[in-house]
Amino acid sequence: MARAALAIDGRVGMSAIAPRRPARRFWPQAILFLACAILVNAVFGDRGLTESMRARRQYAAAQQELAKLKRENTALRERMRRLRSDPAAIEAIARGELGLLRQGEVLVVVKDER
């Protein structure tokens, strides 16, 4: 018997002895690899989860800085309003920063000798 054995499906050859691997095995592996690549990109890519979390932290920090600057701006506006209309505030600045005295006052400087 020089011929190869007849396979169950009618083909002649060695397929009856050693079955071939199914050709469909490539696609599940390719899909799994593609899914893993997409997942890694979604987590670590330019617009991924880690970048999104970093951007949210920066946004929160910028909001806090903005709130601080708004409070400071409000305080400066109030100081400006007082300096324009409140004589006591003007006098406090004149005495503290400029070293001015009222008429009739005497400046006494005390030095600490050691």
Side-chain angles (χ1 to χ4, degrees):
M1 219 165 149
R3 288 194 141 208
L6 184 62
I8 296 174
D9 60 358
R11 292 185 288 167
V12 175
M14 302 303 279
S15 63
I17 298 171
R20 289 184 1 192
R21 281 185 15 186
R24 300 177 73 192
R25 187 154 177 111
F26 168 76
W27 291 109
Q29 291 175 349
I31 292 172
L32 179 64
F33 175 76
L34 186 62
C36 288
I38 290 173
L39 179 66
V40 167
N41 187 36
V43 173
F44 299 108
D46 289 343
R47 294 185 179 190
L49 181 64
T50 54
E51 185 68 24
S52 176
M53 290 170 51
R54 186 186 63 77
R56 284 184 183 150
R57 284 193 303 268
Q58 283 181 338
Y59 180 74
Q63 278 185 324
Q64 290 176 351
E65 181 69 19
L66 179 63
K68 176 185 161 201
L69 290 173
K70 282 184 178 182
R71 287 190 304 270
E72 185 179 325
N73 196 10
T74 302
L76 288 172
R77 284 180 198 265
E78 176 61 24
R79 183 176 183 206
M80 184 178 70
R81 185 197 60 76
R82 283 189 4 250
L83 288 174
R84 284 187 177 163
S85 61
D86 187 12
I90 296 170
E91 182 180 346
I93 294 293
R95 287 175 176 269
E97 292 181 11
L98 301 176
L100 298 179
L101 302 173
R102 280 189 185 167
Q103 193 171 17
E105 289 183 335
V106 177
L107 178 63
V108 177
V109 179
V110 179
K111 290 187 177 182
D112 186 26
E113 293 186 27
R114 289 186 182 180

